[in-house]
């Protein structure tokens, strides 16, 4: 199991842990939020106090509130962190600008919500992007019949609870849409749509139909415990219904649990435009009629927590809510009808500090994990009622003794390897890990008894690992806590349904199927996938082997053809088509997760293996699909006038005839590309056309059975090494030769690394970005801005531009900037470039990136559309000076 983390802080609110879909763990405590990055889990601080003071200076000034609505938190609160929520993975504009990262929302004790975004690299502090209080104050679409006095305005901007929905997949939206629900102090729920460059209110509605009595202590004026269900596509008779998704928003008020259906849709528009250019007003959200689905003991016994299972179980949505001394689980149909309710008594008098759903051992079951503030735990393995069958749900409650006695053991012989692995698996359960740390604390301080304090629990994105924030204290004497002794531990453990989590996420075959479903990098990030294996400890070797064998069963439909004949690109939405064909294809994603497994050279010690920086081998299937998809893109006038786009086209065609010469679709498409370059762009590619013809003749000979390819290898080797027509060395002005997939070398031996996406030489490493999983380096969007500058300088210099401008002036990625080269030798150029923090990134609307008619260039579509590593699915980060 992964090692414990020790943090010098004490959380002051329950549910202090939150795990993002890309594997980052957030711990909130007072003025600090620590982001733990999965590649090394190094704590990164985001001081909420500092950013709060900065945001207050720009917030509208408000007079002190009247006594009847006075709030200490609002008027004098220091802005401590109270709750945290992550956005979904790869939603809307986040992917475009922030490279598939999640962003973080923090609710503070002064009733404000701050939206944090990451910096240039994993080691930089996060900064505030939006303060939602400002938007609540400035919003002008409130009900006209409501009294607009100062008290009402103040009640609206106080946020009591918030929750971020999962991504709603819509046919017209490339990345999906997500909503942030905010419950204010005016009995309203406000729905925000937030992207990297836009924040707006799309809907608001009353949580309950009650008159607001503005008198302190007389009646609550807010709903609590907001929680979103999974989204589900709306399929109906109307044509527009197929472009809608529906989810339920659950919340509690005065001892009752309500759900409200929220339906989102995209209004008709130009969906082919890039995500960053979407008009946010096209997204609409409609709130339906509220339904009561549960209740507490009475109106004065509050509902303290609400959560949903991430997937439907047996066709039902699963909702759980916590009330005093018990927890209730409700199975709800897609129409909001309550199918069954089951109560599990736990006797918890103290409040619940953390809760989460995880997959179970069967697709028809789901597990709910709870932990109270004093260390008591409850694990429920829940099965919804099916017909007249009685439920077979189980509940295990622990009070500090672990749950080994509740776990049945197999019939394995005593002392056998099977029994040893089984006992090790039981010991790695998170409840037993928590008890073991308690026993260690007692032994270290020579105590006969001690008290456990739990501040929160969270499940990993795959669902097999549970993280627990806890601390231990003596309970038989007075304790004086000093700053040097303030310590919170983050411990990690598995659960009984650990293996089922891999099946539910599609990485292991789920009976009766023999092949896994295989998720996309948008569903399960490569970083979270590797971290899950790393946390498995001694069981990692077995799970790595099983996942690898399961992924090996995934094959292309046409065998060795790799499905290259079926590629189709929509010219109206090139970036969306490229992302769909390359990042959503099941067979390619299986190869990407296998590429991630290659980074683990020693499955028995995965953490040591992940320190190795050598990139894993390339899969020719992924390269072939990348080449064929990009070369199949319809070429518009903007592409014809883009030197960078032409260089990319030429580079991929050369890789096709020199590296994938046994694939007829690749070679024939490369030949068509060279013919287009010679006729349309007027580039001299006679040598490349001759090589293409020889490759096609070789394929004819092999298909007739006259040669198996070995006799033609000498000719192929001789063809390699010809000088490029469009790439020249910045030092000696000699042509770069085609002899290696990763390294570009000129005839005098100067070397630079090639971009692993476009295969262009990377001459200026300030214009690159690196995959954090496989360590491959590609050109970043910053080169688009550089092309704009070069194009402007050529036009100012009297160069006519146009397609005839493809020449030496378009060959230098960095213009007159530094070029990293080395003498010829056995060593490759560095694959870990350094990039100056704050390098400019291009917008697709800039000149040269988008043509006069609004058409996007091929280079812009590639570098912005394929914003995750095509080889392993990892995220790109710009390496900072200290990275």
């Amino acid at each position: 199991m992964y090692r414990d983390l020790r943090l010098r802080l004490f959380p002051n609110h329950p549910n202090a842990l939150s795990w993002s879909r890309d594997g980052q763990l957030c711990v909130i405590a007072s003025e600090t939020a620590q982001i733990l990055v999965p590649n090394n889990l190094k704590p990164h601080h985001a001081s909420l106090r500092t950013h709060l003071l900065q945001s207050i200076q720009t917030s509208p000034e408000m007079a002190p509130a009247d006594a009847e609505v006075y709030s200490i938190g609002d008027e004098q609160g220091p802005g401590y962190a109270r709750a945290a929520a992550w956005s979904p993975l790869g939603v809307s504009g986040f992917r475009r600008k922030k490279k598939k990262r999640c962003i973080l929302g923090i609710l503070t004790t002064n009733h404000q919500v701050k939206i944090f975004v990451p910096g240039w690299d994993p080691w930089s502090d996060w900064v505030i992007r939006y303060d939602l209080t400002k938007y609540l104050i400035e919003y002008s679409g409130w009900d006209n019949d409501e009294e607009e006095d100062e008290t009402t305005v103040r009640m609206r901007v106080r946020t009591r609870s918030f929750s971020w929905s999962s991504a709603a997949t819509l046919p017209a939206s490339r990345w999906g849409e997500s909503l942030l629900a905010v419950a204010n102090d005016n009995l309203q729920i406000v729905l925000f749509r937030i992207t990297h460059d836009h924040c707006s209110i799309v809907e608001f509605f009353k949580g309950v139909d009650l008159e607001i009595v503005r008198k302190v202590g007389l009646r609550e004026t807010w709903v609590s415990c907001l929680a979103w269900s999974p989204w589900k596509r709306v399929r109906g008779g109307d044509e527009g219904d197929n472009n809608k998704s529906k989810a339920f928003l659950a919340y509690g008020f005065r001892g009752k649990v309500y759900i409200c259906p929220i339906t989102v849709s995209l209004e008709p528009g130009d969906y082919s435009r890039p995500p960053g250019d979407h008009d946010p007003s096209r997204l609409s959200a409609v709130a339906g009629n509220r339904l009561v689905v549960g209740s507490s003991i009475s109106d004065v016994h509050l509902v303290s927590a609400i959560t949903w299972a991430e997937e439907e179980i047996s066709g039902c949505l699963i909702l759980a809510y916590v009330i005093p001394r018990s927890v209730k689980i409700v199975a709800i149909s897609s129409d909001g009808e309550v199918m069954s309710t089951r109560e599990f008594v736990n006797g918890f008098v103290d409040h619940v500090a953390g809760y989460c759903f995880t997959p179970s051992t069967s697709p028809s079951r789901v597990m709910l994990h709870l932990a109270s503030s004093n260390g008591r735990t409850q694990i429920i393995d829940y099965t919804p009622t099916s017909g007249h069958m009685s439920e077979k749900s189980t509940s295990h409650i622990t009070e500090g003794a672990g749950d080994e006695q509740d776990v049945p053991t197999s019939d394995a012989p005593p002392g056998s390897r099977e029994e040893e692995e089984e006992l090790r698996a039981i010991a790695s359960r998170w409840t037993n890990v928590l008890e073991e740390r308690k026993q260690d604390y007692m032994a270290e301080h020579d105590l006969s008894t001690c008290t456990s304090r739990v501040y929160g629990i969270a499940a990993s994105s795959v669902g097999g690992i549970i993280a627990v924030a806890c601390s231990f204290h003596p309970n038989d004497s007075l304790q004086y806590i000093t700053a040097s002794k303030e310590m919170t531990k983050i411990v990690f453990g598995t659960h009984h349904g650990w293996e089922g989590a891999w099946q539910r996420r599609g990485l292991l075959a789920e009976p009766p199927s023999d092949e896994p479903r295989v998720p996309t990098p948008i569903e399960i990030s490569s970083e979270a996938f590797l971290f899950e294996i790393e946390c498995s400890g001694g069981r990692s070797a077995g799970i790595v082997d099983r996942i690898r064998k399961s992924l090996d069963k995934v094959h292309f439909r046409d065998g060795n053809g790799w499905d290259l004949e079926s590629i189709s690109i929509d010219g109206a939405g090139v970036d969306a088509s490229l992302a769909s064909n390359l990042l959503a294809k099941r067979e390619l994603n299986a190869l990407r997760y296998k590429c991630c497994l290659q980074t683990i050279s020693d499955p028995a010690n995965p953490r040591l293996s992940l320190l190795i920086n050598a990139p894993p081998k390339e899969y020719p299937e992924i390269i072939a699909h990348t080449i064929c998809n990009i070369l199949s893109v319809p070429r518009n006038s903007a592409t014809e006038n883009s030197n960078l786009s032409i260089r990319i086209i030429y580079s991929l065609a050369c890789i096709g005839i020199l590296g994938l010469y046994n694939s007829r679709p690749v070679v024939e498409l490369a030949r068509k590309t060279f013919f287009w370059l010679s006729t349309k762009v007027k580039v001299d590619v006679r040598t490349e056309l001759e090589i293409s013809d020889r490759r096609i003749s070789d394929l004819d000979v092999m298909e007739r059975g006259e040669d198996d390819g070995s006799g033609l290898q000498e000719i192929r080797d001789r063809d390699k090494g010809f000088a490029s027509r469009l790439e020249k060395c910045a030092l000696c002005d000699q042509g770069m030769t085609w002899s290696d997939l990763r390294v570009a070398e000129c005839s005098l031996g100067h070397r630079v690394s090639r971009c692993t996406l476009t295969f262009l030489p990377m001459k200026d490493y300030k214009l690159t970005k690196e995959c954090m999983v496989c360590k491959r380096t590609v050109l970043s969007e910053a080169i688009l801005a550089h092309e704009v500058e070069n194009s402007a300088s050529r036009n100012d210099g009297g160069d006519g531009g146009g397609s005839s401008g493809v020449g030496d002036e378009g060959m230098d990625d960095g213009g007159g900037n530094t070029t990293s080269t080395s003498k010829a030798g056995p060593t490759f150029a560095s694959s870990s470039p350094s990039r100056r923090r704050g390098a400019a990134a291009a917008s697709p609307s800039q000149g040269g990136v988008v043509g006069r008619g609004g058409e996007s260039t091929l280079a812009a579509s590639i570098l912005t559309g394929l914003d995750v590593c095509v080889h392993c699915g990892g995220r790109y980060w710009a390496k900072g000076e200290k990275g």
Side-chain angles (χ1 to χ4, degrees), residues 392-631:
K392 298 180 181 179
S393 304
T394 60
S395 174
H396 296 284
I397 301 175
T398 64
E399 302 190 32
D403 62 352
E404 296 91 335
Q405 66 275 14
D406 296 327
V407 181
T409 58
S410 64
D411 297 330
S416 64
R417 181 177 180 181
E418 291 79 6
E419 184 188 44
E420 183 181 351
E421 291 179 354
E422 185 177 4
L423 293 176
R424 187 184 299 113
I426 294 174
S428 67
R429 308 260 173 94
W430 69 273
T431 51
N432 295 332
V433 172
L434 187 62
E435 175 62 20
E436 182 181 356
R437 300 303 182 270
K438 180 179 179 180
Q439 297 295 333
D440 293 343
Y441 178 84
M442 293 167 56
E444 179 183 358
H445 297 278
D446 195 19
L447 300 174
S448 60
T449 180
C450 73
T451 298
S452 303
R453 295 179 185 173
V454 176
Y455 305 106
I457 67 174
S460 62
S461 58
V462 176
I465 305 296
I466 302 292
V468 184
C470 58
S471 63
F472 304 99
H473 311 269
N475 61 358
D476 58 354
S477 62
L478 292 177
Q479 179 187 16
Y480 297 92
I481 299 177
T482 61
S484 62
K485 295 295 185 181
E486 290 184 355
M487 189 78 68
T488 297
K489 277 189 176 182
I490 310 295
V491 300
F492 300 87
T494 60
H495 56 84
H496 180 61
W498 174 76
E499 183 175 335
W502 293 104
Q503 295 178 345
R504 295 297 293 166
R505 298 297 183 255
L507 292 163
L508 286 179
E510 194 169 8
S513 175
D514 293 334
E515 296 185 5
R517 176 175 55 86
V518 186
T520 67
I522 299 176
E523 298 171 338
I524 300 294
S525 70
S526 299
E527 292 84 354
F529 169 70
L530 287 174
F531 179 66
E532 192 89 7
I533 294 176
E534 185 181 352
C535 284
S536 302
R539 307 173 68 185
S540 61
I543 194 62
V544 166
D545 185 61
R546 292 185 57 189
I547 292 176
R548 183 181 288 110
K549 291 179 179 179
S550 180
L551 295 175
D552 287 340
K553 297 179 180 180
V554 180
H555 303 288
F556 290 97
R557 291 188 299 271
D558 62 349
N560 294 331
W562 300 340
D563 294 345
L564 296 175
E565 300 286 355
S566 59
I567 292 176
S568 176
I569 300 293
D570 181 11
V574 174
D575 53 352
S577 294
L578 289 175
S580 176
N581 291 352
L582 292 174
L583 302 180
K585 193 172 183 62
R586 174 171 169 265
E587 295 81 4
L588 296 181
N589 286 326
L591 296 176
R592 291 187 179 100
Y593 288 112
K594 289 169 64 176
C595 178
C596 293
L597 295 179
Q598 291 181 33
T599 63
I600 305 177
S601 60
D602 183 8
N605 191 358
R607 180 160 183 81
L608 179 62
S609 303
L610 294 176
L611 299 178
I612 301 175
N613 292 324
K617 69 175 183 179
E618 291 85 359
Y619 283 98
E621 298 93 329
I622 295 179
I623 297 178
H625 272 270
T626 303
I627 292 174
C628 289
N629 273 275
I630 294 177
L631 295 186

Side-chain angles (χ1 to χ4, degrees), residues 165-191:
S165 76
S166 58
T169 303
L170 301 172
S173 176
R174 174 184 170 192
W175 305 120
E177 298 292 342
S178 176
L179 296 178
L180 179 67
V182 171
N184 62 22
D185 214 353
N186 200 40
L187 277 180
Q188 292 174 321
I189 299 176
V190 185
L191 303 182

Side-chain angles (χ1 to χ4, degrees), residues 96 188 263 296 306 399 500:
R96 185 176 191 84
Q188 292 174 321
T263 303
S296 183
I306 299 176
E399 302 190 32

Side-chain angles (χ1 to χ4, degrees), residues 96 172 174 269-279 282 572-573 575-576:
R96 185 176 191 84
R174 174 184 170 192
D270 183 12
Y271 303 132
S272 63
R273 298 173 64 186
D277 296 339
H278 279 169
D279 180 7
R282 292 192 297 106
D575 53 352

Side-chain angles (χ1 to χ4, degrees), residues 800-815:
S803 59
S804 61
V806 181
D808 295 350
E809 70 278 3
M811 300 173 190
D812 189 359
D813 289 334

